[in-house]
Amino acid sequence: MNEELEFGDISGKTFRDIAHQAVDWIADYLENMDNYPVLSKAKPGDIKSSLPRSAPETAEDPGDILSDFEKIIVPGITHWNHPRFFAYFSITASYPGILAELLASAMNVNAMLWKTSPSATELEETVLNWLRKMLGLPGTFDGVINDTASVSSLCAMTAARESLSMAIREKGVAGRPDLPEFTIYTSNQSHSSIEKAAIVLGIGQENVRKIDTDSAFRMDADALRKTIAGDIKEGKRPVCVIATIGTTSTTSVDPVKAIVDICHEHGIWLHVDAAYGGSAALLPEMKSHFDGWERADSIVVNPHKWLFTPIDCSVLYCRKPEILKRAFSLTPEYLKTEEAGDVKNYMDYGVALGRRFRSLKLWFILRALGRRKIESIIRQHVAFAQELKQEIEAHPEFELLAPAPFSTLVFRYAPDGAKRDLNALNEDLLIAVNRTGDLFLSHTKLHGIYGIRLAIGNIKTTREDIALAWRIIQREAARNALK
């Protein structure tokens, strides 16, 4: 056996050969998505049963591994890059982002300290300033990249708790009679990650106040004010309020301007979850949805949702980075450094010590596409949604269940004289549509009503894709009604 294969990595020549094959496969894959069902048709256990129970004892040919990737792994993939992936929120991997991921993997950077790779730190600072300006946020915000919005929101809520100056970092919360009962406020439409963060922070689900929403599923600011006042009167201590610009179920927009006034009145930290909707702030005509967010204490925006960045890449902007740092900074001896000049060590601003070089892919995308093209794609997605909204509204047997401020629609099939329960009818419709393999939709429930969600956000989605999706939905609805 070749000594290089036995005692080290595969050879550079082998890597070049197989890498060229892999890049060709990637290009063919992205250009020929119609060859794949959007939703994997695999059954539970199919993939595991096709794999050996133990790792190989000796080296295998990389070409065989790539072949098995095609035969075994690809059939078990739900294709998030498909232009008719309309479930959840799209997370398109654009070509520039894929290229940057390849380079970042090759360099294998851990961006925890400035010293561990100055370029990783300073590029992150620079590219997040670019994005901040594109979003129209003031220079008082400082950014950090995390993996997902769940972690970004957790970090923001931890900073909010630290801002109370109650020595929780040092002494914790357990067994402390000197601490009041903490409360967190968000709407009943907010993401489940807010409750998870409350669990992690020791605040608990019962202390997450889910504020009622109006007919458009927006947080009721008056109800928020009354709830906060009531809790304070009872001796409880509000930690933070989470407002959402683009909720997961309906993409509704909370009245941030009114909410931030309430927060400032009581000295409460405001975190804005704009993980999905934040990218729309690039469009001048969408600015009204973001009125007041520039006065928040922290904001999360996910480039991996609607800025065509391969997952994962979540940006947390914080107006008080010194508090964020105070909440997380912990430097053991082996990580202490003495650089000349003012440098940032990003490990001080979140949970993770090890950090991937995520800013590279965002840098590639912003440069390779440019602001104008990014804006035009997002604008086009919004237009597609509004056109489909009109089709749904005009159809006598379909109805919208929520406003559509961005590019996501929630609707249901509701034919006159339906003999079946509408929730069951629409659940069966969703299953039938997804079973075709031509598109993938998800669902939600609003006040007990089962709704079908169609979210547009893929960089390659066309008007023809939307038209095909609508035809399939109508066809399957007609078939399903006869059952």
Side-chain angles (χ1 to χ4, degrees):
M1 179 179 289
N2 185 309
E3 188 172 293
E4 187 176 20
L5 287 175
E6 186 172 0
F7 295 107
D9 205 348
I10 63 174
S11 70
K13 181 182 183 305
T14 300
F15 173 75
R16 288 177 187 273
D17 291 342
I18 199 69
H20 281 113
Q21 293 178 47
V23 170
D24 286 341
W25 185 91
I26 290 169
D28 289 341
Y29 168 74
L30 294 174
E31 291 171 2
N32 297 282
M33 273 291 177
D34 282 344
N35 295 337
Y36 301 91
V38 187
L39 182 64
S40 171
K41 295 182 179 295
K43 297 181 178 62
D46 281 356
I47 310 306
K48 286 192 291 186
S49 65
S50 301
L51 297 168
R53 294 195 174 186
S54 302
E57 294 292 331
T58 58
E60 296 186 16
D61 189 292
D64 292 339
I65 301 171
L66 187 58
S67 176
D68 282 347
F69 164 77
E70 286 195 76
K71 291 187 297 185
I72 300 173
I73 304 303
V74 174
I77 295 296
T78 291
H79 299 282
W80 289 71
N81 263 349
H82 199 292
R84 291 192 298 279
F85 183 106
F86 298 125
Y88 316 117
F89 288 125
S90 184
I91 51 171
T92 306
S94 59
Y95 286 120
I98 294 169
L99 180 59
E101 285 278 35
L102 176 63
L103 296 173
S105 295
M107 290 184 289
N108 199 31
V109 165
N110 186 340
M112 58 183 183
L113 300 167
W114 178 88
K115 186 175 184 178
T116 57
S117 275
S119 287
T121 295
E122 295 187 18
L123 183 63
E124 186 163 340
E125 291 179 286
T126 299
V127 78
L128 293 188
N129 274 329
W130 287 4
L131 181 60
R132 175 187 57 74
K133 293 176 183 177
M134 292 169 68
L135 296 172
L137 291 170
T140 48
F141 282 97
D142 193 57
V144 56
I145 299 179
N146 294 303
D147 52 4
T148 63
S150 296
V151 171
S152 288
S153 291
L154 171 63
C155 291
M157 292 165 68
T158 306
R161 191 183 67 176
E162 178 64 24
S163 72
L164 301 178
S165 299
M166 292 186 170
I168 294 172
R169 172 191 163 108
E170 297 80 11
K171 298 180 180 180
V173 295
R176 290 186 59 185
D178 59 310
L179 291 182
E181 189 173 349
F182 294 128
T183 50
I184 288 172
Y185 307 82
T186 190
S187 90
N188 58 24
Q189 296 295 309
S190 70
H191 195 269
S192 60
S193 62
I194 303 307
E195 285 185 78
K196 279 192 176 184
I199 294 169
V200 172
L201 292 172
I203 293 170
Q205 284 180 280
E206 290 185 3
N207 291 317
V208 177
R209 306 289 191 252
K210 294 188 176 181
I211 307 301
D212 287 340
T213 51
D214 62 16
S215 59
F217 305 100
R218 300 169 299 198
M219 187 191 295
D220 184 329
D222 288 336
L224 172 66
R225 183 187 297 277
K226 291 175 183 177
T227 304
I228 290 174
D231 281 342
I232 292 174
K233 187 176 181 179
E234 292 180 9
K236 296 178 174 61
R237 182 64 183 267
V239 175
C240 62
V241 175
I242 293 88
T244 309
I245 299 179
T247 59
T248 302
S249 283
T250 68
T251 67
S252 58
V253 178
D254 288 336
V256 176
K257 187 175 181 180
I259 292 170
V260 76
D261 287 341
I262 296 170
C263 290
H264 285 189
E265 179 183 334
H266 293 284
I268 303 172
W269 186 288
L270 174 63
H271 175 60
V272 174
D273 179 356
Y276 160 70
S279 298
L282 273 70
L283 306 184
E285 65 269 27
M286 304 293 280
K287 291 296 185 184
S288 62
H289 294 310
F290 301 89
D291 193 12
W293 79 328
E294 73 283 351
R295 296 168 59 206
D297 295 290
S298 55
I299 299 169
V300 58
V301 177
N302 279 7
H304 71 228
K305 280 194 169 71
W306 209 3
L307 273 182
F308 324 122
T309 305
I311 194 168
D312 48 30
C313 184
S314 175
V315 176
L316 173 63
Y317 284 109
C318 188
R319 182 187 293 281
K320 304 167 185 174
E322 70 281 359
I323 295 179
L324 186 65
K325 182 178 180 180
R326 195 173 79 204
F328 290 105
S329 181
L330 183 66
T331 309
E333 186 61 36
Y334 50 81
L335 292 177
K336 291 179 180 178
T337 61
E338 293 183 5
E339 280 81 35
D342 183 24
V343 299
K344 176 176 286 187
N345 295 320
Y346 270 112
M347 70 171 192
D348 291 334
Y349 295 86
V351 177
L353 172 62
R355 304 178 71 255
R356 297 176 59 232
F357 192 4
R358 296 184 182 94
S359 61
L360 190 68
K361 55 190 172 185
L362 190 53
W363 186 54
F364 265 54
I365 290 164
L366 295 181
R367 292 189 63 190
L369 299 182
R371 175 175 183 146
R372 291 182 182 177
K373 186 169 186 178
I374 292 171
E375 285 182 359
S376 69
I377 297 169
I378 294 174
R379 183 174 287 116
Q380 191 174 51
H381 290 164
V382 174
F384 289 165
Q386 297 309 308
E387 290 167 9
L388 181 55
K389 175 185 175 183
Q390 292 177 7
E391 294 272 2
I392 294 171
E393 289 177 322
H395 199 292
E397 296 187 327
F398 283 84
E399 63 180 9
L400 284 171
L401 297 179
F406 299 112
S407 64
T408 298
L409 301 169
V410 185
F411 59 93
R412 71 171 177 171
Y413 181 48
D416 289 337
K419 297 180 180 180
R420 298 177 57 198
D421 174 73
L422 288 182
N423 280 1
L425 182 65
N426 279 275
E427 185 173 2
D428 288 346
L429 170 58
L430 180 65
I431 292 170
V433 167
N434 288 339
R435 191 178 286 141
T436 68
D438 293 318
L439 62 154
F440 181 30
L441 307 177
S442 56
H443 81 282
T444 190
K445 276 192 174 180
L446 301 170
H447 302 310
I449 296 174
Y450 189 99
I452 296 173
R453 288 178 74 263
L454 189 153
I456 302 167
N458 190 289
I459 197 170
K460 290 191 175 183
T461 297
T462 65
R463 185 170 274 104
E464 289 70 31
D465 290 313
I466 307 299
L468 176 60
W470 180 226
R471 288 197 300 271
I472 292 172
I473 291 167
Q474 293 176 89
R475 184 193 71 200
E476 295 303 320
R479 289 177 178 175
N480 204 43
L482 298 175
K483 293 181 181 178

